[in-house]
Amino acid sequence: MIETAFTPYQSLAGGVLIGLAAVFLMATMGRVFGATGILAGIVAPSSSSDLGWRLALFLGMITGPAAMLLLTGEMPAVQVPVSMPMLAVGGVIVGVGVTYGSGCTSGHGVCGMARLSPRSIAATLAFMFSTGVTVYVIRHVIGG
């Protein structure tokens, strides 16, 4: 069976940082912090004025391990208990989901829920239900 370690302090710190980033982006730019929308704006920018802050946010999101290396002297341990094909399938499923859901968990779950958006509440419930079903199937039906 696949086990997931519970890391309350790292999880809390990550959640606080995501929340602060969302509040800061809304306060300074008037924009919702949705990681998928940020990435989409880098791949197909609608204006050159949007590209700078999107790139800065994206680079900030992916340089976390380097910051940990500088602070602690070691890279954070990353364990991915599934095969590369499973990761690819998961990536496609997530891509389809965020397209049909008009956003991702950071946009709907963090920002939309905070604004009490009915669409975001419905999307977040659908994300969480789908996640629960997926984990059950992977751990108990396929992994079995």
Side-chain angles (χ1 to χ4, degrees), residues 12-29 31 33 57 110-111:
L12 177 63
V16 167
L17 289 173
I18 289 170
L20 287 173
V23 169
F24 183 74
L25 186 62
M26 181 61 77
T28 60
M29 306 287 293
R31 303 299 301 257
F33 187 100
L57 254 172
V110 175
C111 299

Side-chain angles (χ1 to χ4, degrees), residues 68-96:
M68 285 298 294
L69 177 63
L70 288 173
L71 291 171
T72 65
E74 58 186 53
M75 288 293 281
V78 177
Q79 297 174 358
V80 182
V82 296
S83 65
M84 286 303 284
M86 187 77 94
L87 283 175
V89 169
V92 169
I93 292 170
V94 168
V96 170

